[in-house]
Amino acid sequence: MTQVPDFVSLNGPDNVGKTTHLVRLAERWNGFQPLGAVHEHDPEAWARVAVGDYARWWFETSTTVELTEMLLVGHARRAAAREEGRTGLLDRGLPMLLAVAAATCVVKDGLAVGEAFKTVMGITGSRAAAHETSILLLPSLDAERSCAMTSAREGRPWTGIYPAYQKSLHAVLLHQTEHGAYNTVVDCEDRSLDDVHSDVLDRLGLSPLTDGGP
């Protein structure tokens, strides 16, 4: 890594391999600090909304402001947990959290992708972002094919509003790539897990042939 960032985030839709690659990164260098997902750093708030029907709260009763704020608060607390001198590994960084909020806004409020994203960015405002190297993993650069691939990997059918949400999420992610929201995008289509991981290492300036860190 030519310059060690405060955070490295792996982003992408369900079943693209984020967790697997984060584990492999953590295993190769003790300077990486796994920080997980935002809900792990604000458990009481997420537990409250999960009481009863969590999906109903997420997709029906919560407002876009409420959901976006919860994601941002969890992200800030997660960032604060980073130990000085280490690089935090994030399961979904800030750009991905904004994508999640925007995709939810699309299906819940009936907005177009661009309008939903603009709404979420308006809520986010000028809050400072830490030095994060964000890598987006996409099953395919074609939104429809990408969504079909992640759905097939689930092992069981997505039901209710979730298929529409996933379709919107893939559209939002592609919208973000067009506007440079991620430091780098990795096309995972027709590639092995090892090949994708080698690409992740390369984008971070790490050699697959050496161990011990940047």
Side-chain angles (χ1 to χ4, degrees):
M1 226 180 285
T2 54
Q3 180 183 0
V4 179
D6 291 339
F7 302 96
V8 167
S9 68
L10 292 191
N11 309 275
D14 292 3
N15 306 320
V16 75
K18 297 183 294 295
T19 302
T20 300
H21 293 297
L22 286 168
V23 168
R24 291 178 69 167
L25 285 174
E27 288 174 345
R28 67 168 287 127
W29 182 46
N30 60 12
F32 283 132
Q33 179 187 357
L35 291 173
V38 290
H39 68 269
E40 299 170 38
H41 297 269
D42 195 14
E44 291 184 3
W46 288 99
R48 281 196 301 273
V49 301
V51 173
D53 190 337
Y54 180 62
R56 183 171 180 272
W57 173 83
W58 187 289
F59 291 111
E60 296 180 31
T61 62
S62 68
T63 65
T64 298
V65 170
E66 183 182 8
L67 174 60
T68 304
E69 288 290 350
M70 280 192 65
L71 292 169
L72 291 172
V73 168
H75 178 65
R77 292 187 178 185
R78 177 174 62 175
R82 183 182 68 88
E83 299 169 3
E84 187 174 355
R86 300 185 75 189
T87 295
L89 293 179
L90 309 180
D91 183 347
R92 300 174 181 84
L94 181 59
M96 183 69 193
L97 298 179
L98 300 179
V100 165
T104 306
C105 181
V106 168
V107 298
K108 188 164 52 181
D109 299 335
L111 298 182
V113 166
E115 286 301 311
F117 194 75
K118 195 181 300 181
T119 298
V120 169
M121 292 305 294
I123 298 166
T124 304
S126 59
R127 288 177 236 200
H131 181 205
E132 174 185 339
T133 295
S134 55
I135 298 177
L136 175 61
L137 305 175
L138 286 176
S140 172
L141 297 181
D142 178 85
E144 188 172 335
R145 188 158 65 247
S146 182
C147 195
M149 292 165 71
T150 55
S151 176
R153 292 171 187 168
E154 184 69 14
R156 58 185 176 83
W158 281 328
T159 59
I161 200 172
Y162 209 66
Y165 163 73
Q166 282 293 322
K167 184 176 180 179
S168 297
L169 178 60
H170 283 74
V172 171
L173 292 174
L174 292 178
H175 173 84
Q176 285 180 307
T177 63
E178 293 170 2
H179 292 80
Y182 298 91
N183 293 99
T184 188
V185 179
V186 177
D187 181 0
C188 304
E189 188 166 9
D190 297 326
R191 303 180 66 202
S192 70
L193 188 67
D194 286 344
D195 283 346
V196 171
H197 194 70
S198 291
D199 211 351
V200 169
L201 294 177
D202 182 63
R203 306 297 175 92
L204 291 172
L206 297 170
S207 168
L209 302 178
T210 61
D211 293 311

Coordinates of all heavy atoms in Angstrom, one line a residue, residues 72-139:
L72 N -25.6 6.5 9.4 CA -24.5 7.4 9.6 C -24.0 7.4 11.0 O -22.8 7.5 11.2 CB -25.0 8.8 9.2 CG -25.2 9.1 7.7 CD1 -25.9 10.5 7.5 CD2 -24.0 9.0 6.9
V73 N -24.9 7.3 12.0 CA -24.5 7.2 13.4 C -23.6 6.0 13.6 O -22.6 6.0 14.3 CB -25.7 7.3 14.3 CG1 -25.3 6.9 15.7 CG2 -26.3 8.7 14.3
G74 N -24.1 4.8 13.1 CA -23.4 3.6 13.2 C -22.0 3.7 12.6 O -21.0 3.2 13.1
H75 N -22.0 4.3 11.4 CA -20.7 4.5 10.7 C -19.7 5.3 11.5 O -18.5 5.0 11.6 CB -20.9 5.1 9.4 CG -19.7 5.3 8.6 ND1 -18.9 4.3 8.1 CD2 -19.1 6.5 8.1 CE1 -17.8 4.8 7.5 NE2 -17.9 6.1 7.5
A76 N -20.2 6.4 12.1 CA -19.3 7.3 12.9 C -18.8 6.6 14.1 O -17.6 6.7 14.5 CB -20.1 8.5 13.3
R77 N -19.6 5.8 14.8 CA -19.2 5.0 16.0 C -18.2 3.9 15.6 O -17.2 3.7 16.3 CB -20.4 4.4 16.7 CG -21.3 5.4 17.3 CD -22.4 4.8 18.2 NE -23.2 5.8 18.8 CZ -24.2 5.6 19.7 NH1 -24.4 4.4 20.0 NH2 -24.8 6.6 20.2
R78 N -18.4 3.3 14.4 CA -17.5 2.3 13.9 C -16.1 3.0 13.6 O -15.1 2.4 14.0 CB -18.0 1.7 12.7 CG -17.1 0.7 12.0 CD -17.8 -0.1 10.9 NE -18.2 0.8 9.8 CZ -18.7 0.4 8.6 NH1 -18.9 -0.9 8.4 NH2 -19.0 1.3 7.7
A79 N -16.1 4.1 13.0 CA -14.9 4.8 12.7 C -14.1 5.2 14.0 O -12.9 5.1 14.0 CB -15.2 6.1 11.9
A80 N -14.9 5.6 15.0 CA -14.3 5.9 16.3 C -13.6 4.7 17.0 O -12.8 4.9 17.9 CB -15.3 6.6 17.2
A81 N -14.0 3.5 16.6 CA -13.4 2.3 17.2 C -12.1 1.9 16.6 O -11.4 1.0 17.1 CB -14.4 1.2 17.1
R82 N -11.7 2.6 15.6 CA -10.4 2.3 15.0 C -9.2 2.7 15.9 O -9.2 3.8 16.5 CB -10.2 3.1 13.6 CG -8.9 2.7 12.9 CD -8.7 3.5 11.7 NE -8.5 4.9 11.9 CZ -7.3 5.5 12.1 NH1 -6.2 4.8 12.1 NH2 -7.3 6.8 12.4
E83 N -8.3 1.8 16.1 CA -7.1 2.0 16.9 C -6.1 2.8 16.1 O -5.9 2.6 14.9 CB -6.5 0.7 17.3 CG -7.4 -0.2 18.2 CD -6.9 -1.6 18.4 OE1 -5.8 -1.9 17.9 OE2 -7.6 -2.4 19.0
E84 N -5.5 3.7 16.8 CA -4.5 4.6 16.1 C -3.4 3.8 15.5 O -2.9 2.8 16.1 CB -3.9 5.6 17.1 CG -3.0 6.7 16.5 CD -2.6 7.7 17.5 OE1 -3.0 7.7 18.7 OE2 -1.7 8.6 17.1
G85 N -3.0 4.1 14.3 CA -1.9 3.4 13.6 C -2.4 2.2 12.8 O -1.5 1.6 12.2
R86 N -3.6 1.8 12.9 CA -4.1 0.7 12.2 C -5.1 1.1 11.1 O -5.7 2.2 11.2 CB -4.8 -0.3 13.1 CG -3.9 -0.9 14.2 CD -4.5 -1.9 15.1 NE -4.6 -3.2 14.3 CZ -5.3 -4.2 14.8 NH1 -6.0 -4.2 15.9 NH2 -5.3 -5.4 14.1
T87 N -5.3 0.2 10.1 CA -6.3 0.5 9.1 C -7.5 -0.3 9.3 O -7.5 -1.5 9.4 CB -5.7 0.1 7.7 OG1 -4.6 0.9 7.4 CG2 -6.7 0.2 6.6
G88 N -8.6 0.4 9.5 CA -9.9 -0.3 9.8 C -10.5 -0.9 8.5 O -10.5 -0.3 7.5
L89 N -10.9 -2.2 8.7 CA -11.6 -2.9 7.6 C -13.1 -2.8 7.8 O -13.6 -3.2 8.8 CB -11.1 -4.4 7.5 CG -9.7 -4.7 7.2 CD1 -9.4 -6.2 7.3 CD2 -9.3 -4.1 5.8
L90 N -13.7 -2.2 6.8 CA -15.2 -2.0 6.9 C -16.0 -2.9 6.0 O -15.7 -3.0 4.8 CB -15.5 -0.5 6.5 CG -14.7 0.6 7.2 CD1 -15.1 1.9 6.7 CD2 -14.8 0.5 8.7
D91 N -17.0 -3.5 6.5 CA -18.0 -4.3 5.8 C -19.0 -3.3 5.3 O -19.9 -2.9 6.1 CB -18.6 -5.4 6.6 CG -19.6 -6.3 5.9 OD1 -20.0 -5.8 4.7 OD2 -20.0 -7.3 6.4
R92 N -18.9 -2.8 4.1 CA -19.7 -1.7 3.6 C -19.3 -0.3 4.2 O -19.5 -0.1 5.4 CB -21.2 -1.9 3.8 CG -21.8 -3.1 3.2 CD -23.2 -3.3 3.6 NE -23.8 -4.5 3.1 CZ -23.7 -5.7 3.6 NH1 -23.0 -5.9 4.7 NH2 -24.3 -6.8 3.0
G93 N -18.6 0.5 3.4 CA -18.1 1.8 3.8 C -19.2 2.8 3.6 O -20.4 2.5 3.2
L94 N -18.8 4.1 3.7 CA -19.8 5.2 3.6 C -20.5 5.2 2.3 O -21.7 5.3 2.2 CB -19.1 6.5 3.9 CG -20.0 7.7 3.8 CD1 -21.2 7.6 4.9 CD2 -19.2 9.0 4.1
P95 N -19.8 5.1 1.1 CA -20.5 5.1 -0.1 C -21.6 4.0 -0.2 O -22.7 4.3 -0.8 CB -19.4 4.9 -1.2 CG -18.2 5.3 -0.5 CD -18.4 4.9 0.9
M96 N -21.3 2.8 0.3 CA -22.3 1.7 0.2 C -23.5 2.0 1.2 O -24.6 1.6 0.8 CB -21.6 0.4 0.6 CG -22.5 -0.8 0.5 SD -22.9 -1.2 -1.2 CE -24.2 -2.4 -1.0
L97 N -23.2 2.6 2.3 CA -24.3 2.9 3.2 C -25.3 3.9 2.6 O -26.5 3.8 2.7 CB -23.8 3.4 4.5 CG -22.9 2.5 5.3 CD1 -22.4 3.2 6.6 CD2 -23.6 1.2 5.7
L98 N -24.7 4.8 1.8 CA -25.6 5.8 1.1 C -26.3 5.1 0.0 O -27.5 5.5 -0.3 CB -24.7 6.9 0.6 CG -23.9 7.7 1.6 CD1 -23.1 8.8 0.9 CD2 -24.8 8.4 2.7
A99 N -25.7 4.1 -0.6 CA -26.4 3.4 -1.7 C -27.6 2.6 -1.1 O -28.6 2.5 -1.7 CB -25.4 2.4 -2.4
V100 N -27.4 2.0 0.1 CA -28.4 1.2 0.7 C -29.6 2.1 1.1 O -30.8 1.8 0.8 CB -27.8 0.6 2.0 CG1 -29.0 0.1 2.9 CG2 -26.9 -0.6 1.7
A101 N -29.3 3.3 1.6 CA -30.3 4.3 2.0 C -31.1 4.7 0.7 O -32.3 4.8 0.7 CB -29.8 5.4 2.7
A102 N -30.3 5.0 -0.4 CA -31.0 5.5 -1.6 C -31.8 4.4 -2.2 O -32.9 4.7 -2.7 CB -29.9 5.9 -2.6
A103 N -31.3 3.1 -2.2 CA -32.1 2.0 -2.8 C -33.4 1.8 -2.0 O -34.5 1.5 -2.6 CB -31.3 0.8 -2.9
T104 N -33.3 2.0 -0.7 CA -34.5 1.8 0.1 C -35.5 2.9 -0.2 O -36.7 2.7 -0.3 CB -34.1 1.8 1.6 OG1 -33.2 0.8 1.8 CG2 -35.4 1.6 2.5
C105 N -35.0 4.1 -0.4 CA -35.8 5.3 -0.7 C -36.5 5.1 -2.1 O -37.7 5.4 -2.2 CB -34.9 6.5 -0.8 SG -35.8 8.1 -1.1
V106 N -35.8 4.4 -3.0 CA -36.5 4.2 -4.3 C -37.7 3.3 -4.2 O -38.8 3.6 -4.7 CB -35.4 3.5 -5.3 CG1 -36.2 2.9 -6.5 CG2 -34.3 4.4 -5.7
V107 N -37.6 2.2 -3.4 CA -38.7 1.3 -3.3 C -39.7 1.8 -2.3 O -40.9 1.4 -2.5 CB -38.2 -0.2 -2.9 CG1 -37.3 -0.7 -4.0 CG2 -37.5 -0.2 -1.6
K108 N -39.3 2.5 -1.3 CA -40.3 3.0 -0.3 C -41.0 4.3 -0.7 O -42.2 4.4 -0.5 CB -39.6 3.2 1.0 CG -40.4 3.5 2.2 CD -39.7 3.3 3.5 CE -38.4 4.0 3.5 NZ -37.7 3.8 4.8
D109 N -40.3 5.2 -1.4 CA -40.9 6.5 -1.7 C -41.2 6.6 -3.1 O -41.8 7.7 -3.6 CB -40.0 7.6 -1.2 CG -39.7 7.6 0.3 OD1 -40.6 7.1 1.0 OD2 -38.6 8.1 0.7
G110 N -40.9 5.6 -3.9 CA -41.2 5.6 -5.4 C -40.4 6.7 -6.2 O -40.9 7.1 -7.2
L111 N -39.2 7.0 -5.7 CA -38.4 8.0 -6.4 C -37.5 7.3 -7.5 O -37.2 6.1 -7.3 CB -37.5 8.8 -5.5 CG -38.2 9.7 -4.4 CD1 -37.2 10.4 -3.6 CD2 -39.2 10.6 -5.1
A112 N -37.1 8.1 -8.5 CA -36.1 7.6 -9.4 C -34.8 7.5 -8.7 O -34.6 8.2 -7.7 CB -36.1 8.5 -10.6
V113 N -33.9 6.7 -9.3 CA -32.6 6.5 -8.6 C -31.9 7.8 -8.4 O -31.4 8.0 -7.3 CB -31.7 5.6 -9.5 CG1 -30.2 5.6 -9.1 CG2 -32.2 4.1 -9.5
G114 N -31.8 8.7 -9.4 CA -31.1 9.9 -9.2 C -31.7 10.8 -8.1 O -31.0 11.4 -7.3
E115 N -33.0 10.9 -8.1 CA -33.7 11.7 -7.1 C -33.5 11.1 -5.7 O -33.3 11.8 -4.7 CB -35.2 11.8 -7.4 CG -35.5 12.7 -8.6 CD -35.0 14.2 -8.3 OE1 -35.2 14.7 -7.2 OE2 -34.3 14.7 -9.2
A116 N -33.6 9.8 -5.6 CA -33.4 9.1 -4.3 C -32.0 9.4 -3.7 O -31.8 9.7 -2.6 CB -33.7 7.6 -4.4
F117 N -31.0 9.3 -4.6 CA -29.6 9.5 -4.2 C -29.4 11.0 -3.8 O -28.8 11.2 -2.8 CB -28.7 9.1 -5.3 CG -27.2 9.0 -4.8 CD1 -26.8 7.9 -4.1 CD2 -26.3 10.0 -5.1 CE1 -25.5 7.8 -3.6 CE2 -25.0 9.9 -4.6 CZ -24.6 8.8 -3.9
K118 N -30.0 11.9 -4.5 CA -30.0 13.3 -4.2 C -30.6 13.5 -2.8 O -30.1 14.3 -2.0 CB -30.6 14.1 -5.2 CG -30.3 15.6 -5.2 CD -31.1 16.4 -6.3 CE -30.7 15.8 -7.7 NZ -31.4 16.6 -8.7
T119 N -31.7 12.9 -2.5 CA -32.4 13.0 -1.2 C -31.5 12.5 -0.1 O -31.3 13.2 0.9 CB -33.7 12.1 -1.2 OG1 -34.6 12.6 -2.2 CG2 -34.3 12.2 0.2
V120 N -30.8 11.4 -0.3 CA -29.9 10.8 0.8 C -28.7 11.8 1.0 O -28.3 12.0 2.1 CB -29.5 9.4 0.4 CG1 -28.4 8.9 1.3 CG2 -30.7 8.5 0.5
M121 N -28.2 12.3 -0.1 CA -27.0 13.2 0.0 C -27.4 14.5 0.7 O -26.6 15.0 1.4 CB -26.4 13.5 -1.4 CG -25.8 12.3 -2.0 SD -24.5 11.5 -1.0 CE -23.3 12.8 -1.0
G122 N -28.7 14.9 0.5 CA -29.1 16.1 1.2 C -29.2 15.9 2.7 O -28.9 16.8 3.5
I123 N -29.6 14.6 3.1 CA -29.6 14.3 4.6 C -28.2 14.2 5.1 O -27.9 14.6 6.2 CB -30.3 13.0 4.8 CG1 -31.8 13.1 4.3 CG2 -30.3 12.5 6.2 CD1 -32.5 11.7 4.1
T124 N -27.3 13.6 4.3 CA -25.9 13.5 4.8 C -25.2 14.8 5.0 O -24.5 15.0 5.9 CB -25.1 12.6 3.8 OG1 -25.8 11.4 3.6 CG2 -23.7 12.3 4.2
G125 N -25.5 15.7 4.0 CA -24.9 17.1 4.2 C -23.4 17.1 4.0 O -22.8 16.3 3.2
S126 N -22.7 17.9 4.8 CA -21.3 18.1 4.6 C -20.5 17.3 5.7 O -19.4 17.7 6.0 CB -20.9 19.6 4.7 OG -21.4 20.1 5.9
R127 N -21.1 16.3 6.3 CA -20.4 15.6 7.3 C -19.1 15.0 6.7 O -19.0 14.4 5.7 CB -21.2 14.4 7.8 CG -22.4 14.9 8.7 CD -23.3 13.8 9.1 NE -24.6 14.0 8.7 CZ -25.7 13.4 9.3 NH1 -25.5 12.6 10.3 NH2 -26.9 13.7 8.9
A128 N -18.0 15.3 7.4 CA -16.7 14.9 7.0 C -16.5 13.4 6.9 O -17.0 12.7 7.8 CB -15.6 15.5 7.9
A129 N -15.9 12.9 5.9 CA -15.6 11.5 5.8 C -14.1 11.2 6.1 O -13.3 12.1 5.7 CB -16.0 11.0 4.4
A130 N -13.9 10.1 6.7 CA -12.5 9.8 7.0 C -11.8 9.3 5.7 O -12.4 9.1 4.7 CB -12.4 8.7 8.1
H131 N -10.5 9.2 5.8 CA -9.7 8.7 4.7 C -10.0 7.2 4.4 O -9.4 6.4 5.1 CB -8.2 8.9 5.0 CG -7.3 8.5 3.9 ND1 -6.0 8.1 4.1 CD2 -7.5 8.4 2.5 CE1 -5.5 7.8 2.9 NE2 -6.4 8.0 2.0
E132 N -10.9 7.0 3.5 CA -11.4 5.6 3.2 C -11.1 5.3 1.8 O -11.4 6.0 0.9 CB -12.9 5.6 3.5 CG -13.5 4.3 3.1 CD -15.1 4.3 3.2 OE1 -15.6 5.1 4.0 OE2 -15.7 3.5 2.5
T133 N -10.4 4.1 1.6 CA -10.2 3.5 0.3 C -11.4 2.6 0.1 O -11.5 1.5 0.7 CB -8.9 2.8 0.2 OG1 -7.8 3.8 0.3 CG2 -8.8 2.1 -1.2
S134 N -12.3 2.9 -0.8 CA -13.5 2.1 -1.0 C -13.4 1.3 -2.3 O -13.1 1.8 -3.4 CB -14.7 3.0 -1.1 OG -14.5 4.0 -2.1
I135 N -13.6 0.0 -2.2 CA -13.5 -0.9 -3.3 C -14.9 -1.5 -3.5 O -15.5 -2.1 -2.6 CB -12.5 -2.1 -3.1 CG1 -11.1 -1.5 -2.9 CG2 -12.5 -3.1 -4.2 CD1 -10.1 -2.5 -2.6
L136 N -15.5 -1.4 -4.7 CA -16.8 -1.9 -5.0 C -16.6 -3.2 -5.8 O -16.0 -3.2 -6.9 CB -17.6 -0.9 -5.9 CG -18.9 -1.3 -6.4 CD1 -19.9 -1.7 -5.2 CD2 -19.6 -0.3 -7.3
L137 N -17.2 -4.3 -5.3 CA -17.2 -5.6 -6.0 C -18.6 -5.8 -6.6 O -19.6 -5.7 -6.0 CB -17.0 -6.7 -5.0 CG -15.7 -6.6 -4.1 CD1 -15.7 -7.7 -3.1 CD2 -14.4 -6.6 -4.9
L138 N -18.6 -6.0 -7.9 CA -19.8 -6.2 -8.7 C -19.8 -7.5 -9.3 O -18.8 -7.9 -10.0 CB -20.0 -5.1 -9.7 CG -20.4 -3.7 -9.2 CD1 -20.4 -2.7 -10.4 CD2 -21.7 -3.7 -8.5
P139 N -20.9 -8.3 -9.1 CA -21.0 -9.6 -9.8 C -20.9 -9.4 -11.3 O -20.4 -10.3 -12.0 CB -22.3 -10.1 -9.4 CG -22.6 -9.4 -8.1 CD -22.0 -8.1 -8.2

